[in-house]
PDB file of all heavy atoms in Angstrom:
ATOM      1  N   SER A1471     -98.326 126.585 175.206  1.00  0.00           N
ATOM      2  CA  SER A1471     -97.765 127.329 176.248  1.00  0.00           C
ATOM      3  C   SER A1471     -98.444 128.705 176.497  1.00  0.00           C
ATOM      4  O   SER A1471     -98.254 129.378 177.456  1.00  0.00           O
ATOM      5  CB  SER A1471     -96.254 127.745 175.907  1.00  0.00           C
ATOM      6  OG  SER A1471     -96.217 128.477 174.695  1.00  0.00           O
ATOM      7  N   ASP A1472     -99.192 129.184 175.490  1.00  0.00           N
ATOM      8  CA  ASP A1472     -99.998 130.374 175.683  1.00  0.00           C
ATOM      9  C   ASP A1472    -101.353 130.426 174.905  1.00  0.00           C
ATOM     10  O   ASP A1472    -101.689 129.369 174.368  1.00  0.00           O
ATOM     11  CB  ASP A1472     -99.188 131.607 175.457  1.00  0.00           C
ATOM     12  CG  ASP A1472     -98.639 131.606 174.067  1.00  0.00           C
ATOM     13  OD1 ASP A1472     -99.372 131.286 173.095  1.00  0.00           O
ATOM     14  OD2 ASP A1472     -97.490 132.047 173.844  1.00  0.00           O
ATOM     15  N   ARG A1473    -101.969 131.495 174.749  1.00  0.00           N
ATOM     16  CA  ARG A1473    -103.300 131.632 174.125  1.00  0.00           C
ATOM     17  C   ARG A1473    -103.119 131.836 172.574  1.00  0.00           C
ATOM     18  O   ARG A1473    -104.050 132.302 172.001  1.00  0.00           O
ATOM     19  CB  ARG A1473    -104.097 132.842 174.787  1.00  0.00           C
ATOM     20  CG  ARG A1473    -103.416 134.177 174.614  1.00  0.00           C
ATOM     21  CD  ARG A1473    -104.173 135.160 175.500  1.00  0.00           C
ATOM     22  NE  ARG A1473    -103.703 136.575 175.263  1.00  0.00           N
ATOM     23  CZ  ARG A1473    -102.608 137.098 175.802  1.00  0.00           C
ATOM     24  NH1 ARG A1473    -101.904 136.290 176.592  1.00  0.00           N
ATOM     25  NH2 ARG A1473    -102.220 138.297 175.503  1.00  0.00           N
ATOM     26  N   LEU A1474    -102.023 131.513 172.075  1.00  0.00           N
ATOM     27  CA  LEU A1474    -101.761 131.726 170.596  1.00  0.00           C
ATOM     28  C   LEU A1474    -102.854 131.228 169.649  1.00  0.00           C
ATOM     29  O   LEU A1474    -103.263 131.874 168.765  1.00  0.00           O
ATOM     30  CB  LEU A1474    -100.499 131.005 170.210  1.00  0.00           C
ATOM     31  CG  LEU A1474     -99.994 131.080 168.730  1.00  0.00           C
ATOM     32  CD1 LEU A1474     -99.682 132.501 168.368  1.00  0.00           C
ATOM     33  CD2 LEU A1474     -98.940 130.152 168.462  1.00  0.00           C
ATOM     34  N   LEU A1475    -103.422 130.102 170.018  1.00  0.00           N
ATOM     35  CA  LEU A1475    -104.444 129.461 169.141  1.00  0.00           C
ATOM     36  C   LEU A1475    -105.797 129.443 169.770  1.00  0.00           C
ATOM     37  O   LEU A1475    -106.585 128.604 169.397  1.00  0.00           O
ATOM     38  CB  LEU A1475    -104.054 128.009 168.798  1.00  0.00           C
ATOM     39  CG  LEU A1475    -102.648 127.882 168.030  1.00  0.00           C
ATOM     40  CD1 LEU A1475    -102.395 126.400 167.731  1.00  0.00           C
ATOM     41  CD2 LEU A1475    -102.562 128.774 166.884  1.00  0.00           C
ATOM     42  N   GLU A1476    -106.144 130.439 170.511  1.00  0.00           N
ATOM     43  CA  GLU A1476    -107.416 130.514 171.175  1.00  0.00           C
ATOM     44  C   GLU A1476    -108.362 131.292 170.243  1.00  0.00           C
ATOM     45  O   GLU A1476    -108.837 132.326 170.444  1.00  0.00           O
ATOM     46  CB  GLU A1476    -107.392 131.304 172.541  1.00  0.00           C
ATOM     47  CG  GLU A1476    -106.695 130.567 173.647  1.00  0.00           C
ATOM     48  CD  GLU A1476    -107.574 129.323 173.992  1.00  0.00           C
ATOM     49  OE1 GLU A1476    -108.610 129.418 174.686  1.00  0.00           O
ATOM     50  OE2 GLU A1476    -107.213 128.221 173.523  1.00  0.00           O
ATOM     51  N   ILE A1477    -108.563 130.707 169.004  1.00  0.00           N
ATOM     52  CA  ILE A1477    -109.323 131.215 168.013  1.00  0.00           C
ATOM     53  C   ILE A1477    -110.389 130.284 167.523  1.00  0.00           C
ATOM     54  O   ILE A1477    -110.158 129.097 167.358  1.00  0.00           O
ATOM     55  CB  ILE A1477    -108.407 131.515 166.674  1.00  0.00           C
ATOM     56  CG1 ILE A1477    -107.153 132.244 167.131  1.00  0.00           C
ATOM     57  CG2 ILE A1477    -109.137 132.166 165.610  1.00  0.00           C
ATOM     58  CD1 ILE A1477    -106.076 132.373 166.110  1.00  0.00           C
ATOM     59  N   PRO A1478    -111.602 130.718 167.347  1.00  0.00           N
ATOM     60  CA  PRO A1478    -112.671 129.854 166.866  1.00  0.00           C
ATOM     61  C   PRO A1478    -112.309 129.162 165.571  1.00  0.00           C
ATOM     62  O   PRO A1478    -111.867 129.868 164.586  1.00  0.00           O
ATOM     63  CB  PRO A1478    -113.862 130.903 166.691  1.00  0.00           C
ATOM     64  CG  PRO A1478    -113.577 131.927 167.584  1.00  0.00           C
ATOM     65  CD  PRO A1478    -112.159 132.137 167.640  1.00  0.00           C
ATOM     66  N   GLY A1479    -112.388 127.935 165.469  1.00  0.00           N
ATOM     67  CA  GLY A1479    -112.092 127.143 164.191  1.00  0.00           C
ATOM     68  C   GLY A1479    -110.806 126.421 164.182  1.00  0.00           C
ATOM     69  O   GLY A1479    -110.692 125.523 163.504  1.00  0.00           O
ATOM     70  N   ILE A1480    -109.850 126.812 165.022  1.00  0.00           N
ATOM     71  CA  ILE A1480    -108.433 126.220 165.070  1.00  0.00           C
ATOM     72  C   ILE A1480    -108.631 124.819 165.478  1.00  0.00           C
ATOM     73  O   ILE A1480    -108.011 123.858 164.836  1.00  0.00           O
ATOM     74  CB  ILE A1480    -107.579 126.972 166.006  1.00  0.00           C
ATOM     75  CG1 ILE A1480    -106.966 128.216 165.278  1.00  0.00           C
ATOM     76  CG2 ILE A1480    -106.457 126.093 166.446  1.00  0.00           C
ATOM     77  CD1 ILE A1480    -105.833 127.892 164.322  1.00  0.00           C
ATOM     78  N   ASN A1481    -109.312 124.503 166.565  1.00  0.00           N
ATOM     79  CA  ASN A1481    -109.358 123.131 167.081  1.00  0.00           C
ATOM     80  C   ASN A1481    -110.106 122.193 166.004  1.00  0.00           C
ATOM     81  O   ASN A1481    -109.720 121.072 165.784  1.00  0.00           O
ATOM     82  CB  ASN A1481    -110.179 123.074 168.406  1.00  0.00           C
ATOM     83  CG  ASN A1481    -109.842 121.840 169.238  1.00  0.00           C
ATOM     84  OD1 ASN A1481    -109.959 121.844 170.415  1.00  0.00           O
ATOM     85  ND2 ASN A1481    -109.550 120.738 168.569  1.00  0.00           N
ATOM     86  N   TYR A1482    -111.130 122.751 165.356  1.00  0.00           N
ATOM     87  CA  TYR A1482    -111.907 122.040 164.349  1.00  0.00           C
ATOM     88  C   TYR A1482    -111.017 121.653 163.242  1.00  0.00           C
ATOM     89  O   TYR A1482    -111.019 120.541 162.771  1.00  0.00           O
ATOM     90  CB  TYR A1482    -113.103 122.885 163.901  1.00  0.00           C
ATOM     91  CG  TYR A1482    -114.052 122.278 162.914  1.00  0.00           C
ATOM     92  CD1 TYR A1482    -115.092 121.462 163.360  1.00  0.00           C
ATOM     93  CD2 TYR A1482    -113.783 122.365 161.541  1.00  0.00           C
ATOM     94  CE1 TYR A1482    -115.845 120.747 162.408  1.00  0.00           C
ATOM     95  CE2 TYR A1482    -114.526 121.732 160.635  1.00  0.00           C
ATOM     96  CZ  TYR A1482    -115.665 120.945 161.130  1.00  0.00           C
ATOM     97  OH  TYR A1482    -116.501 120.320 160.180  1.00  0.00           O
TER      98      TYR A1482
END
Side-chain angles (χ1 to χ4, degrees):
S1471 63
D1472 57 40
R1473 62 189 186 279
L1474 175 71
L1475 299 186
E1476 289 295 281
I1477 307 168
I1480 280 279
N1481 201 153
Y1482 184 88

